[in-house]
Amino acid sequence: MERIVVDRTVEGSDLEVAFEREGTGAPIVFAHGAALDSRSWGPQFAGLRDDFTVVAWDEPGVRASAPVPAGFALADFADALADVVRAVGLGPAHLAGLSWGGTVILETYRRHPDVVATLVLIDSYAGWSGSLPAAEVRARVEGVQAQLAAPAEEFDPTLPGLFGSEPTAEVVALMEAMARDVRPETLALELGIMAGTDLSGLLPHITVPTLLIWGELDARSPLWVADQFADGIEDSELVVIPGAGHMSPLEQPELVNAAIRDFCRRNATTSGR
C-alpha cells in the first residue's frame, strides 16, 4: 500500500493514510463503508483498472491507516480524502462512495469541489438524519450502542440486511477478514457521525454529474432513499442493480462495474496518468 501524511486534522496533528492504487487513465477514488476497508473494492480494481486509475483508501482509523485523534469529525474525513486526491496528483477525480463512504464524498464535495469531477453514490445516505426517519435513526443508534457494549468475544461489526441473497463463500471470507480488523472505536465514531449528519440540503447545490447505484433489495438504504437523491440532484441518473442488497459492489460487481465504466467514460476527466 502507498501512504501519505495528511495535515489538515484536528489540533494540527499529522495523520498517515494508506491507500491502494492500480491502473492508468482517469482516476476513480473509492471510499468504503463503515466496518469495511479498501479490500471491499477488490472487484472494482479487477474490473476497472484496465481503463482507469483506481484508488481505494483505508480511511483514517481503519486497518493500515493511523488511528484518529480525539474530536475527529466528518469534515476531517473529507479533508483527508481531498488530501489523498491532491497528493497523488489525481484531481479532479471521480469520487465513489458506498454507504457511509457516500456521506464522506458528499462532504468532500461540499468542502473541496475542486477535487471532484463526478460523484458516484452507491447504496448511500446524506447522513442517516438526512435520509431516514427520526425513529429509524434512533433505532439504529440503539442497535449500535448495544453492539458496542457486548463482550469482546460477541462483538460483530457486520449489520443485518447487507445482502439481497446468500453471499458467495469468497464474499463471506472477505467480510470475515475485514470484520477481524475493525476497530470498535472507529466504528462507533463513523456511525455516531452518520446519526447526527444531515446533508440533504446540499443535494440541490450539486452541479457535477452524479451516478446513483442502488441494490434493488437494499434493506439498509432502501430505494426510496435513492429517489430522494434523484429528486434532489438535478444532474443525476439512477441505476438499480437487480437482486442486490446494500453491498451491491460485492454482490453484483459486473453490473456495478459496467454502470461505473459507462458513466465515467461519458463524463471523462482530463486527469490521470
Side-chain angles (χ1 to χ4, degrees):
M1 299 191 82
E2 299 179 54
R3 288 172 170 79
I4 67 163
V5 173
V6 298
D7 58 11
R8 282 201 305 276
T9 59
V10 291
E11 300 176 354
S13 57
D14 290 340
L15 183 69
E16 188 175 71
V17 174
F19 61 93
E20 299 279 6
R21 170 169 46 171
E22 294 182 18
T24 58
I28 308 176
V29 178
F30 288 95
H32 57 76
L36 305 176
D37 58 50
S38 59
R39 289 172 290 182
S40 63
W41 298 111
Q44 283 61 60
F45 274 85
L48 296 169
R49 63 192 172 200
D50 57 334
D51 273 357
F52 303 95
T53 300
V54 183
V55 177
W57 74 344
D58 285 346
E59 72 177 14
V62 168
R63 199 173 60 127
S65 292
V68 295
F72 210 74
L74 179 59
D76 299 299
F77 283 104
D79 290 351
L81 185 58
D83 279 350
V84 169
V85 176
R86 293 188 180 110
V88 296
L90 292 178
H94 304 289
L95 293 193
L98 170 67
S99 191
W100 148 256
T103 303
V104 172
I105 69 169
L106 283 174
E107 180 70 0
T108 304
Y109 174 78
R110 189 179 74 82
R111 294 175 63 82
H112 306 280
D114 59 296
V115 307
V116 183
T118 70
L119 294 170
V120 181
L121 297 165
I122 308 172
D123 296 286
S124 193
Y125 310 93
W128 282 351
S129 291
S131 297
L132 302 173
E136 174 65 17
V137 175
R138 287 194 297 271
R140 294 192 180 196
V141 169
E142 291 171 0
V144 169
Q145 290 172 340
Q147 177 189 56
L148 293 169
E153 63 272 14
E154 298 176 13
F155 175 68
D156 179 2
T158 60
L159 297 167
L162 292 181
F163 295 93
S165 59
E166 191 69 24
T168 66
E170 181 181 11
V171 169
V172 169
L174 173 61
M175 294 295 290
E176 290 175 345
M178 290 189 291
R180 287 193 294 270
D181 288 334
V182 166
R183 301 173 190 169
E185 63 276 13
T186 301
L187 180 60
L189 174 65
E190 293 166 334
L191 299 183
I193 291 172
M194 282 285 275
T197 295
D198 181 354
L199 293 176
S200 59
L202 172 66
L203 305 186
H205 302 288
I206 293 174
T207 58
V208 297
T210 301
L211 175 63
L212 310 170
I213 299 178
W214 243 258
E216 174 191 24
L217 305 177
D218 190 342
R220 297 292 303 172
S221 180
L223 275 175
W224 50 261
V225 176
D227 291 337
Q228 293 174 355
F229 278 104
D231 290 342
I233 303 173
E234 181 175 357
D235 189 5
S236 64
E237 55 191 90
L238 172 62
V239 174
V240 177
I241 305 300
H246 194 59
M247 297 291 293
S248 59
L250 282 177
E251 202 165 11
Q252 296 287 352
E254 293 84 4
L255 295 178
V256 170
N257 290 352
I260 294 173
R261 183 189 301 275
D262 174 69
F263 174 78
C264 291
R265 280 178 171 172
R266 286 187 287 108
N267 296 279
T269 75
T270 58
S271 314
R273 38 181 194 177

